[in-house]
Amino acid sequence: MKFGVVVFPGSNCDHDCFYVLGEVLQQDVRYVWHQNTELSGFDCLVLPGGFSYGDYLRTGAVARFSPVMKAVERFAAGGGMVIGICNGFQILLEAGLLPGAMMRNVGLKFICRFVDIRVEITSTPWTSGAYEHQVLRIPIAHNEGNYQVPYRTLEEMKLRGQVVFRYCSPEGSVASEYNPNGATESIAGVCNREGNVLGMMPHPERASEAELGSTDGLVIWRSLLTHCGAEVPSGQTRAR
Amino acid sequence: MARARVHITFKEGILDPQGKTVLRALKSLGYDEVEELRVGKYMELELAGEDRARLEERLGEMCEKLLANPIIEDYDLEVDA
């Protein structure tokens, strides 16, 4: 499977994603510079975390007008798989590829720690390998993860199964005390109607090797590989 | 040349974490008369052209496209031409 990791000025999780996809999961992976508009041949694009354009104006607001984003829109419209992680999620929201918007964390602090998230739906390409309500331990690192979406849109999203992850307790209960940033209904990740575009605040690429404290991120990567018919490396694949 | 100003604020009903914090800080300083406070953004622009209606229309487009996020924010604009 061929992955492209999009690099914006200010991306800083691009190398982590590249490493996990290439070394841990043994996939073909390339960097895609934000000026690039040619995306043919890729099966999945990753919009990584970071501080694209210094987070000026609003997170993701400037990056969404990068030349590559027009191509990403066409790629997604054609059914290509797109995952936005953290700042990548914020960019997808600003681009209108996913519904909603991000606000400052309720506590006004940058939060960098492991959280538990519950898989809300297992019929997406990103969660097909998870069991129902599986709890994944994956770190967050953000200042703007307070997900907001108009009430009516949210109701439609729930009916269509677009709410993919919610912050929860280690046992999987969703309550405000386990919501780190004030996000509406504890939402940590959503997908588009078709399911091929996912945005999530937690960083699965930081939870893909036992040495880093959790391999739960692999649930997402392996689901994706299976969905796309790629060979899934068994067990804990070790990098050199 | 025309000068323009844009004010951007969160929509009614959107919880503004910064505004709430500043409000609490003012109250703790004894300013009990403050009942509501919202933190927004203010921008000044210099625009080439004289046609005020046209400049307002263009600036409205800029707000919709980039300067504000219409999902969570409202904007006000003024053009002095």
Side-chain angles (χ1 to χ4, degrees):
Chain A
M1 190 167 166
K2 189 167 172 183
F3 285 86
V5 176
V6 181
V7 183
F8 297 96
S11 295
N12 65 10
C13 300
D14 42 350
H15 286 257
D16 300 37
C17 291
F18 190 94
Y19 167 81
V20 166
L21 294 167
E23 299 291 330
V24 180
L25 292 165
Q26 303 287 309
Q27 303 300 309
D28 184 2
V29 54
R30 311 285 163 89
Y31 289 114
V32 178
W33 184 234
H34 70 110
Q35 300 284 1
N36 198 336
T37 54
E38 176 52 54
L39 297 174
S40 59
F42 288 109
D43 303 301
C44 177
L45 295 173
V46 181
L47 274 57
F51 301 86
S52 57
Y53 295 91
D55 278 353
Y56 294 158
L57 193 61
R58 293 179 308 279
T59 55
V62 182
R64 73 146 292 199
F65 291 106
S66 280
V68 74
M69 286 308 295
K70 275 268 167 246
V72 170
E73 281 173 39
R74 284 194 300 272
F75 181 82
M81 307 302 293
V82 179
I83 176 172
I85 300 165
C86 198
N87 189 225
F89 184 12
Q90 294 161 341
I91 296 168
L92 290 174
L93 292 172
E94 284 284 341
L97 285 169
L98 291 173
M102 281 300 172
M103 304 245 322
R104 190 72 83 79
N105 294 344
V106 157
L108 299 182
K109 283 197 176 126
F110 188 97
I111 310 168
C112 183
R113 63 173 169 87
F114 271 98
V115 294
D116 296 293
I117 56 171
R118 190 174 78 182
V119 176
E120 298 295 303
I121 177 159
T122 55
S123 57
T124 79
W126 314 92
T127 52
S128 55
Y131 54 83
E132 201 182 335
H133 282 181
Q134 184 170 352
V135 175
L136 306 177
R137 193 164 162 271
I138 297 183
I140 53 169
H142 61 247
N143 201 21
E144 269 100 359
N146 177 355
Y147 179 75
Q148 298 295 320
V149 62
Y151 175 77
R152 210 166 274 178
T153 311
L154 178 60
E155 291 304 305
E156 285 172 22
M157 289 168 68
K158 287 199 271 193
L159 285 175
R160 296 198 179 100
Q162 291 177 249
V163 176
V164 183
F165 301 112
R166 281 197 166 94
Y167 300 106
C168 66
S169 73
E171 294 75 35
S173 37
V174 172
S176 60
E177 62 208 277
Y178 308 114
N179 182 346
N181 52 31
T184 300
E185 297 199 6
S186 296
I187 291 175
V190 302
C191 66
N192 63 346
R193 278 188 211 186
E194 295 76 17
N196 62 313
V197 180
L198 173 75
M200 62 188 295
M201 290 313 293
H203 288 265
E205 81 282 10
R206 297 190 190 180
S208 294
E209 282 187 299
E211 286 85 343
L212 296 181
S214 170
T215 57
D216 289 351
L218 292 176
V219 171
I220 296 163
W221 302 124
R222 285 190 177 135
S223 297
L224 170 65
L225 294 178
T226 306
H227 173 83
C228 295
E231 199 178 319
V232 183
S234 59
Q236 161 85 12
T237 312
R238 284 291 300 266
R240 274 164 288 158
Chain B
M1 176 75 77
R3 285 183 179 278
R5 291 172 293 281
V6 176
H7 286 270
I8 295 166
T9 49
F10 287 117
K11 281 184 192 292
E12 289 284 332
I14 295 270
L15 178 73
D16 168 15
Q18 276 191 90
K20 285 273 178 277
T21 305
V22 178
L23 173 66
R24 270 201 304 274
L26 281 178
K27 284 197 185 288
S28 76
L29 290 172
Y31 295 104
D32 296 323
E33 67 270 38
V34 187
E35 290 180 346
E36 196 52 61
L37 187 153
R38 302 171 80 73
V39 172
K41 290 178 191 147
Y42 170 67
M43 298 171 199
E44 292 176 334
L45 297 87
E46 287 179 11
L47 306 172
E50 306 291 328
D51 181 348
R52 185 167 158 178
R54 171 84 181 133
L55 292 175
E56 281 178 352
E57 188 194 323
R58 296 274 292 173
L59 189 52
E61 263 180 50
M62 294 179 216
C63 288
E64 293 283 336
K65 245 189 217 171
L66 176 65
L67 301 181
N69 180 337
I71 299 174
I72 47 171
E73 294 170 328
D74 285 327
Y75 60 85
D76 270 319
L77 56 88
E78 295 167 73
V79 178
D80 303 332

